[in-house]
Amino acid sequence: MGSAAEPIELTISELAYGGDGVSRHEGQVIFVPFTALREKVRVVVTEVHKTYSRARLVEVLEPSADRVVPPCSLFTQCGGCATQHLAYPAEVRAKVAQIESALKRIGKLEKPVLRPALTGPDYAYRNRITVHNRDGRIGFLGADGRTLVDVARCLLAADDVNQKLAVLRERPRPRPHYSIRADEVRGEAFYQSNRPLAKLLQQQVVAAVPEGIESILEGYAGTGFFSKPLTERGIRVVGVESSAAAVPVFQREAPKAELLEGRFEDR
Ligand SMILES: C[S@@+](CC[C@H](N)C(=O)[O-])C[C@H]1O[C@@H](n2cnc3c(N)ncnc32)[C@H](O)[C@@H]1O
């Protein structure tokens, strides 16, 4: 590989978990943020590690048809988003490919069977965000993982979450981080963060349970997100959940389900 400052030309062969483009060059794997599948790009290598390198995109020589104009002016500075330069269907395809590869590589499944991905709005869907506060400036950490990027409105956040962000920005309190949550997200328990897709996911899981099933053991049951609608189908559900924050919410949200508190592996 040339010296660190010398530009090289690469073709992106896959998108890694997290969104970076991946290219193989002279036996080395190179990650290049903000690139798309099969694009030809000119890059400068910025980090060389034992098993991989990282590079900065200098120029897109042959753009992919998947490339779109990123809607947020902070894209590439802000660390919150990695794939705004991709059309939503391309982003979904990349994520499906990553799941399939993980099932093969880690799950050791030869031919994993995946249902078609559920899709929803590509912006304004998140029911919670975590922002940082540096001397009254509120925003996300930058793509470098250190700098604070001032964010007045996040395109991923649902409107009600952005309204709460605006209120916080007017009167920040002296805390280093804030978790800004929609009203339905309470306490420290886990909630699905994509509001419209969560509903679709719930419907799909409940519909996938065949007629005639009388009881279900649900590991990692959280706040009863799946247990509740399953009990409403008349199924006996026993949830297992280890988080002290989730347990009371589960009991309130899914009162017809039974709950075993503790680790699923210990049952
Ligand atoms: C990703 S959340 C999913 C929760 C719920 N199924 C949902 O979709 O909203 C995973 C849940 O598993 C719980 N959990 C993590 N490790 C666990 C373990 N070893 N045994 C039981 N629950 C666990 C977490 O507290 C969390 O509530």
Side-chain angles (χ1 to χ4, degrees):
M1 200 174 309
S3 76
E6 189 184 317
I8 53 172
E9 291 182 10
L10 302 174
T11 300
I12 301 301
S13 56
E14 64 187 276
L15 296 183
Y17 176 74
D20 290 351
V22 182
S23 183
R24 283 172 180 82
H25 177 81
E26 295 179 358
Q28 178 77 296
V29 174
I30 307 184
F31 292 94
V32 193
F34 316 125
T35 53
L37 200 56
R38 287 183 286 277
E39 270 186 344
K40 271 211 167 115
V41 291
R42 181 171 292 132
V43 306
V44 169
V45 173
T46 50
E47 290 172 35
V48 179
H49 300 271
K50 247 192 191 154
T51 53
Y52 71 94
S53 298
R54 294 187 64 78
R56 175 173 54 79
L57 177 64
V58 176
E59 190 184 353
V60 180
L61 302 169
E62 287 178 23
S64 157
D66 295 335
R67 193 168 268 282
V68 296
V69 177
C72 179
S73 61
L74 299 174
F75 182 60
T76 72
Q77 282 176 60
C78 176
C81 285
T83 51
Q84 282 195 16
H85 63 294
L86 296 179
Y88 182 57
E91 184 188 346
V92 173
R93 278 198 306 275
K95 287 184 177 163
V96 170
Q98 286 155 19
I99 291 168
E100 189 171 12
S101 147
L103 288 171
K104 284 182 181 163
R105 204 166 26 87
I106 306 165
K108 308 285 179 219
L109 298 178
E110 235 171 75
K111 283 191 188 159
V113 180
L114 298 183
R115 285 169 186 259
L118 296 174
T119 56
D122 43 355
Y123 291 98
Y125 61 82
R126 277 196 73 94
N127 59 16
R128 62 168 184 269
I129 56 175
T130 299
V131 289
H132 299 258
N133 174 9
R134 295 243 176 101
D135 307 321
R137 286 170 62 237
I138 307 277
F140 294 119
L141 289 184
D144 62 6
R146 293 187 300 271
T147 323
L148 185 112
V149 177
D150 201 285
V151 175
R153 182 175 178 80
C154 173
L155 295 191
L156 298 191
D159 287 348
D160 46 337
V161 173
N162 270 316
Q163 279 160 18
K164 291 186 179 189
L165 171 62
V167 171
L168 173 70
R169 286 172 60 87
E170 275 171 25
R171 299 181 62 183
R173 284 157 286 157
R175 291 212 325 243
H177 317 284
Y178 299 94
S179 173
I180 303 180
R181 302 163 191 183
D183 289 350
E184 75 263 22
V185 181
R186 290 184 221 108
E188 296 306 315
F190 171 88
Y191 285 83
Q192 298 284 345
S193 60
N194 185 319
R195 190 187 270 159
L197 272 190
K199 204 75 212 152
L200 287 180
L201 176 66
Q202 190 182 49
Q203 284 162 359
Q204 189 165 87
V205 168
V206 174
V209 177
E211 284 301 322
I213 293 287
E214 290 173 4
S215 57
I216 287 182
L217 176 65
E218 190 196 349
Y220 313 91
T223 59
F225 181 70
F226 296 117
S227 306
K228 178 181 181 181
L230 287 167
T231 57
E232 284 164 357
R233 262 188 57 181
I235 299 170
R236 176 185 173 218
V237 178
V238 179
V240 186
E241 173 55 48
S242 62
S243 149
V247 164
V249 188
F250 181 102
Q251 286 162 336
R252 194 175 62 236
E253 291 293 322
K256 291 185 192 150
E258 295 155 58
L259 183 65
L260 301 177
E261 298 183 37
R263 281 160 39 92
F264 189 63
E265 302 85 318
D266 299 338
R267 296 284 160 182

